[in-house]
Amino acid sequence: YGGVSLRSDDAGLTWSNSGPSGVDDPYDMCFTGAATGTAVGSRGAIARTTDGGRTWVQQDSGGVCDLSTVAFRDSTHGVAAGSYCILHTADGGATWLAGELQVYEFPWDIAFTGVDSLVAVGRNGLISHSYDGGATWTAAISTTTEGLRSITVRDDGSWVVTTNANVVLSTSDRGVTWS
């Protein structure tokens, strides 16, 4: 879990290892445009780039929990979460404030589904929603006990989740029912 970060300047013809400085084990990245992105990793590491990944600046997370996922709804409002912790930023990551993650398993992926709405997926079929920017969370009924690796929110509002066992789950009613 964790790994390397590769970068291409020629549409994927060649790649270079130019991972975020200060993030030894990058677990996730989120870009809000071609140049601006945030990476998270072990021991609370957070780094931000504004030049497409050429250079990275460490940001103070204020914590030591392993951060497994990061999501931004726009260039300033973001959430990073991991081993039983959640952090919020409203200034592009210049400051990160700790919140309380009220889920029983830690999330592997998180996504904004609206301005203040989020969904998290993770171990043992974890699916959890927040409708207040991540301050409180409500567990949803999952149709699997498999680890849920990633979530994608599609343009039509539906959500697609992949599992450790290569199963794809989807919902078109904001997680009320899954198939």
Side-chain angles (χ1 to χ4, degrees):
Y1 189 79
V4 299
S5 300
L6 301 175
R7 182 177 189 291
S8 176
D9 287 319
D10 56 12
L13 293 175
T14 60
W15 293 88
S16 62
N17 185 351
S18 63
S21 55
V23 182
D24 295 333
D25 295 316
Y27 294 154
D28 195 20
M29 289 184 186
C30 178
F31 277 76
T32 57
T36 304
T38 301
V40 297
S42 61
R43 297 178 301 281
I46 302 176
R48 187 157 176 94
T49 182
T50 56
D51 61 9
R54 287 178 185 83
T55 60
W56 293 84
V57 175
Q58 278 189 281
Q59 295 182 311
D60 182 13
S61 70
V64 294
C65 69
D66 290 338
L67 296 172
S68 57
T69 183
V70 61
F72 277 78
R73 75 168 192 225
D74 55 35
S75 63
T76 57
H77 297 89
V79 175
S83 53
Y84 309 102
C85 69
I86 189 164
L87 305 171
H88 307 264
T89 184
D91 57 13
T95 56
W96 290 89
L97 302 174
E100 186 173 332
L101 187 61
Q102 301 162 332
V103 294
Y104 300 106
E105 299 289 344
F106 81 82
W108 285 334
D109 200 11
I110 196 166
F112 277 92
T113 59
V115 172
D116 285 323
S117 302
L118 296 136
V119 62
V121 297
R123 288 184 184 173
N124 300 321
L126 166 76
I127 302 172
S128 193
H129 308 106
S130 174
Y131 298 106
D132 56 11
T136 60
W137 292 85
T138 303
I141 303 298
S142 176
T143 58
T144 183
T145 58
E146 291 290 330
L148 303 178
R149 275 284 165 206
S150 67
I151 182 161
T152 301
V153 178
R154 297 176 34 172
D155 289 340
D156 66 3
S158 63
W159 306 344
V160 179
V161 175
T162 58
T163 72
N164 286 347
N166 297 321
V167 174
V168 177
L169 303 172
S170 64
T171 180
S172 58
D173 56 12
R174 300 185 58 80
V176 175
T177 59
W178 293 86
S179 58

